Amino acid sequence: MATPLSDQEKRKQISIRGIVGVENVAEIKKGFNRHLHFTLAKDRNVSTRRDYFFALAHTVRDHLVGRWLRTQQHYYETDPKRVYYLSLEFYMGRTLENTMINLGLQNACDEAIYQLGLDMEDLEEMEEDAGLGNGGLGRLAACFLDSMATLGLAAYGYGIRYEYGIFNQRISDGWQVEEADDWLRHGNPWEKARPEFMLPVHFYGHVEKTREGPKWVDTQVVLAMPYDTPIPGYMNNTVNTMRLWSARAPNDFNLRDFNVGDYIQAVLDRSVAENISRVLYPNDNFFEGKELRLKQEYFVVAATLQDIIRRFKASKKGRVTFETFPDKVAIQLNDTHPAMAIPELMRIFMDIEKLPFDKAWEITQKTFAYTNHTVLPEALERWPVQLMETLLPRHLHIIYEINQKHLDKISALFPEDMDRLRRMSIIEEEGVKRINMAHLCIVGSHAVNGVAQIHSQIVKDQVFRDFSELEPEKFQNKTNGITPRRWLLMCNAGLAELIAEKIGDGYVKDLSQLRKIAAFVNDESFIRDVSQVKQENKMKFAQYLEKEYKVKINPSSMFDVHVKRIHEYKRQLLNCLHIITMYNRIKKDPAKHFVPRTVIIGGKAAPGYHMAKMIIKLITSVGDVVNNDPVVGNRLKVIFLENYRVSLAEKVIPATDLSEQISTAGTEASGTGNMKFMLNGALTIGTMDGANVEMAEEAGEGNLFIFGMRVADVEALDKKGYNAMDYYDKLPELKQVMDQIKSGYFSPKQPDLFKDITDMLFKHDRFKVFADYEDYVKSQEKASNLYQDPKQWTKMVIINISASGKFSSDRTIKEYAKDIWGVEPSDIKIKPPNEPREPVETREAAVKPKSKGSLL
Ligand SMILES: *Cc1c(COP(=O)(O)O)cnc(C)c1O
């Protein structure tokens, strides 16, 4: 067997990572040295590794700028319909390597950095993650930006430039500890502030009746400062924009009326206004009705809509009439978080542009589309009317007006059906009066979609059944996807190249071509190569764990990985019960053969989510017992992976053998982690939930370890009544596990430490962990048995990879473009740029710009 290539050697061979070319290498070295000198003001005697990272980042950034300007100019000139993706989260992770890949610069940069005596991976590790998201929803937005640029759509991401992203998680004595994510401390080389496009956002005040209609007056103003980040498409010279808003106090803040005289205090108080963009709310799938959060939601919406309307008015058609607005503008709402865009656009149309309600409403509905991301009741946004009245009084009036017309329409169709009116109202009247934001979004949009087939079905038939009865044509499905650039080329170069050797590189832009590798499922050398790439990835990850955390794991054991936010519905507890079951089996019969496993669990708990934090403590406590038991040896290890985030996902996913996707059927809307693992050659153990259902459909159910209740079974069990004791009494191994947790086997110093967990599992487990325990353990045994036969395992891996093409976000975005936005992908390659275009060298050449200020 040939000796494996080093990463350095491997990268040089790879065609899909760009052409090396001596002149490219020389140019990059030149740029690097120039930036080290002029931008960072350092030389090689005093430079740190971080300086080298910034020098390279600026060098790569230089290659984006010309393409960025040309793309935006192209949009200005051709005036296509714009797509606006509004999201409170963009979980971008790192940018350097992704940019090199999408620009085809990776090989040249690798070579340049190598010639400069530096290590590319060391430099890449210096970059902070842009952690402006919690989990799947925020990462989806980031994948969509990549796909929209790759498909040549005139698209924009709009969000908030949080000064602090998702907290950093430390594990101390087995408990989660949060640390602030000061990601901008060393500066962000990818953003460009655009103070000339700063916009005012109003809060509070009251509504005055005037002869020209209602007027929102006496408001407090906060300024929104845009920061633009370039979003390159894959090898098409398209560079789109993600525009994130940062809150700034006006310079006369508090100096005009009340705080007169106290200048110092007024300046200090500026931070109150600027707190709006200070920090990301760290809840995943949970609604926290805080005033600051509502301010954030309105802040992004108000600034973005002004920007959209400015750009529309600057375009040719926009000068004429707002009738054409929906032909030129599509706005996608990433969950209800930006839902205030609906009443805000109505306010602009009615109060500022003086359109009548009905006309404004027609245009608004045609403009918006809403993506639902969850059916969990605790996650649905329902803002108290009182809070809305204080913060956004005019919007509350408009919401009431929208609701009135909506209810009138329903009572005309269903006379006397008071219960239906109550169920469908945007305003909930029982208890504390609240605004149901999902209802507002459904009523205000022309399209509503779920994020996987099963989820869209539940949205239609259960959660929003009344609405789908009223307007069935509105409801759609758009199964989520992931970008194959980051989640294959970037994180798993070895596998990407292996695939390219067999089927060429067309799959990078058309992932359905992965089907072609199914032809090699019996090809002995391909099987060996696939398994070898996995083994290399596992070794590398094991080395990383040893270096960073001083833990040694056995790289020939099965890597069983469960990484995602910690949530009861995601059932990390079920996994934990299985770990203890395996431990008990080893202890009971130590001589019996056992397929070695390393169970890796990682994820952040929302800081206010008590049960999630207890689950982390239970996992680390079980790990302490299992990992230090000499009888177990290195057959079973439990690792809690600290600070799971995008850059860590990129390391652990390619090293995974078994992917845990074990939510209670009907609770995980789609999942996207599941897709990343499938694409990277892991097998899935999972329930028939979210996109797992479609993964099983694509690969064949027998090629996943599917177990447990289906949605119908869960419903039947709910009807009958779920009783945890039924399973506890019936299953001796489950009984033993629960008795151990309860009696303090894993917490000898504090036997009742896990009382909240055991009480929940026994008495009020909404997610029915015990009901799936038996089938889960059996399914895990099947996985272990197959793992003993490496060839059969790898064949199943190949089938899975070949079946994963559907889960490209390119496919998802094409569906949004066609079925919701009414735009078409463009594969015209915008002309590659030279250096700064048309340099102005003479007074005669210094012509007036075509569209000062509105081009971007
Ligand atoms: C993909 C991803 C998620 C979403 O994972 P699920 O398993 O779908 O919940 C969460 N966090 C990070 C860092 C991710 O990359």
Side-chain angles (χ1 to χ4, degrees), residues 91 135-136 487 563-564 570 644-646 649 661 671-673 676:
Y91 203 171
W487 296 112
V563 286
K564 49 183 76 243
K570 291 175 184 279
Y644 180 61
R645 61 197 186 282
V646 174
Q661 307 298 337
T672 50
K676 298 168 195 165

Side-chain angles (χ1 to χ4, degrees), residues 635-661:
R635 289 182 288 182
L636 180 61
K637 290 282 176 225
V638 182
I639 308 291
F640 189 86
L641 193 59
E642 194 174 270
N643 205 26
Y644 180 61
R645 61 197 186 282
V646 174
S647 59
L648 193 48
E650 290 160 8
K651 293 184 174 76
V652 67
I653 291 172
T656 299
D657 295 305
L658 188 65
S659 158
E660 301 269 353
Q661 307 298 337

